[in-house]
Amino acid sequence: MKRYLIALITSLLFISCAQNQHLPIDKEATAETVNLYQRLFRNMDKGILVGHQDALAYGHNWYKEPGRSDAKDVAGDYPAVIGWELGHLELGAEYNLDSVYFADMKQYIKETHKRGGITTVSWHGDNIVTGNTAWDCAQDFVVKAVLPMGINHGKYLSWLNRLSDFFLDLKDENGKYIPVIFRMYHEHSGGWFWWGSEQCTPAQYKQLWIMTVDYLREKRHVHNLLYAYSPSETRDEAEFLERYPGDDYVDIIGFDCYATGSDATAVANYKKALDHNLQIITSYAQQSGKLPVIGETGMEAIPYPQYYTDAVYTVINQYRIGWVLFWRNAWEPDKPNHFYVPFEGHPSAIDFKEFVAKPNIFMNADIK
Ligand code: BMA
């Protein structure tokens, strides 16, 4: 009996230590990946990291100017978290669906790592059945087609191979793998991607997720990833978890949420949505030991001049989260209003500067 008790206490102690240590789901995660995960938790105790999608590759009215970033032009420093998009890597293309060359992206990721910054990647992979984009969601059998026994399973694995090769090519100057966060199959609670809630069943979505993690990890030996689960806005924890593949398959939990206008009502609705979804994810983060983040957010063209200090800060400041990532500043001449971080001279630049100067809002130089 005594021996059983000792064994029980030891294993309980072990479990609670493991939880305190926040270990990634990949038992073979590289030391740098484990460090990154723990570092994110440590930083969360002090503040919230600012992220920007595609920050280094281009910005409003410019493309590929070494060292430049719209956030840096305005606020003097790089974002702490930089997001990248892998769409079309699966096809073997040289550049992604927003015209960023994958060779350049690898360099940006290396530069970011060297600066102590953090990289997260998303993947708007094409619809493998129709050959159209990720947004071709007219069918409800694409996920089924890529699962084992599905007609496109083999081809899909060849797509995952291309992603694996990319991840395994992310190495620092000492030849160590650079850890990155893979926020895959995101916004799946909506119905606008082939992996969306109207396009597959919860069981199929979970299978897709689990198959991807298992394949990258076990068949391709990719061990420099943290996996982020990020639906669009959800009503409650039940909806948030409806397609959740399980605590053994997710390191980071978040959500994507955008302002749909800039008048008082739209701002109020946005704050309400941010707050509600922050409650859902931070509550589940408490229960599960996962790291909560805002996967994507923004107000297109930022017409509300207090967007950052009012709409965002007053809400996120009430929560403990890892980061908030603002979406991209399109370089394309036909998308002049598609930007989510101000550029020099934009009326919201002052507010952005004020936001990032808050003691608990961190740009690259502020993180440990
Ligand atoms: C969307 C828009 C598109 C872009 C896509 C993938 O939200 O920004 O212009 O191609 O994300 O990055």
Side-chain angles (χ1 to χ4, degrees):
M1 184 64 187
K2 200 172 155 195
R3 211 184 295 161
Y4 279 123
L5 262 180
I6 292 172
L8 184 70
I9 291 167
T10 320
S11 50
L12 281 177
L13 273 177
F14 179 76
I15 291 168
S16 80
C17 279
Q19 273 186 350
N20 287 341
Q21 279 189 355
H22 298 297
L23 296 172
I25 55 157
D26 182 356
K27 303 278 174 290
E28 291 178 60
T30 63
E32 291 71 25
T33 310
V34 175
N35 281 344
L36 170 62
Y37 199 42
Q38 298 182 348
R39 194 172 153 228
L40 285 166
F41 278 99
R42 278 199 307 276
N43 274 291
M44 186 170 71
D45 289 337
K46 301 184 206 103
I48 301 171
L49 313 187
V50 175
H52 189 205
Q53 182 75 2
D54 285 352
L56 308 176
Y58 60 79
H60 183 73
N61 263 332
W62 61 272
Y63 177 85
K64 203 168 167 173
E65 293 182 22
R68 190 164 177 194
S69 133
D70 279 345
K72 181 169 173 272
D73 283 352
V74 167
D77 191 11
Y78 294 104
V81 175
I82 297 184
W84 297 107
E85 165 56 34
L86 299 183
H88 290 175
L89 176 63
E90 74 279 2
L91 307 177
E94 272 185 73
Y95 52 86
N96 80 357
L97 42 75
D98 299 314
S99 306
V100 179
Y101 281 83
F102 292 110
D104 291 340
M105 200 184 287
K106 286 178 190 168
Q107 285 311 315
Y108 297 135
I109 294 174
K110 288 177 195 182
E111 276 172 33
T112 303
H113 180 70
K114 203 169 165 191
R115 265 202 301 271
I118 291 155
T119 291
T120 172
V121 296
S122 52
W123 181 33
H124 292 81
D126 271 5
N127 177 325
I128 202 166
V129 173
T130 64
N132 296 327
T133 69
W135 289 266
D136 179 12
C137 54
Q139 315 78 29
D140 61 2
F141 48 80
V142 182
V143 172
K144 191 167 175 228
V146 304
L147 292 175
M149 314 299 287
I151 42 163
N152 288 107
H153 180 65
K155 184 172 170 194
Y156 198 71
L157 295 186
S158 74
W159 283 14
L160 293 181
N161 282 341
R162 292 194 172 114
L163 263 67
S164 310
D165 291 343
F166 180 89
F167 293 133
L168 294 173
D169 203 25
L170 298 176
K171 291 193 181 157
D172 69 11
E173 288 160 338
N174 304 316
K176 302 254 193 224
Y177 290 114
I178 298 173
V180 300
I181 294 120
F182 188 19
R183 192 172 59 93
M184 55 185 195
Y185 310 130
H186 68 308
E187 295 181 11
H188 57 280
S189 50
W192 46 85
F193 296 128
W194 57 257
W195 57 85
S197 63
E198 287 159 29
Q199 287 71 20
C200 62
T201 66
Q204 287 170 339
Y205 181 84
K206 290 181 202 177
Q207 267 180 285
L208 171 69
W209 186 287
I210 291 169
M211 174 186 88
T212 305
V213 173
D214 284 347
Y215 187 75
L216 295 179
R217 199 167 59 175
E218 277 135 46
K219 294 281 187 299
R220 294 304 320 272
H221 310 292
V222 178
H223 297 298
N224 52 332
L225 298 181
L226 295 172
Y227 293 90
Y229 172 86
S230 186
S232 190
E233 294 164 38
T234 56
R235 277 185 307 279
D236 49 26
E237 188 177 284
E239 192 191 2
F240 180 78
L241 293 178
E242 190 190 32
R243 286 159 192 262
Y244 187 65
D247 289 342
D248 291 343
Y249 278 91
V250 173
D251 296 299
I252 294 173
I253 54 173
F255 65 92
D256 294 8
C257 170
Y258 285 89
T260 50
S262 60
D263 60 17
T265 315
V267 171
N269 287 341
Y270 173 68
K271 286 166 100 168
K272 218 162 120 190
L274 273 184
D275 186 61
H276 184 64
N277 284 273
L278 280 166
Q279 271 177 38
I280 297 173
I281 62 156
T282 53
S283 151
Y284 191 67
Q286 277 287 324
Q287 299 165 51
S288 60
K290 306 296 174 189
L291 184 97
V293 303
I294 299 182
E296 273 179 42
T297 197
M299 175 187 278
E300 193 174 42
I302 334 148
Y304 175 49
Q306 275 83 44
Y307 168 72
Y308 299 98
T309 53
D310 174 39
V312 177
Y313 185 72
T314 57
V315 182
I316 65 175
N317 187 36
Q318 299 167 50
Y319 294 90
R320 287 179 68 243
I321 55 170
W323 71 78
V324 50
L325 182 126
F326 298 101
W327 200 241
R328 70 191 194 102
N329 284 12
W331 63 274
E332 299 96 306
D334 64 335
K335 294 190 176 77
N337 289 320
H338 193 55
F339 59 87
Y340 295 87
V341 160
F343 43 86
E344 263 188 317
H346 185 279
S348 292
I350 304 159
D351 190 58
F352 183 73
K353 270 176 89 166
E354 208 180 297
F355 168 64
V356 305
K358 305 267 183 205
N360 63 337
I361 295 294
F362 296 159
M363 294 288 271
N364 189 87
D366 304 321
I367 56 173
K368 299 281 172 294

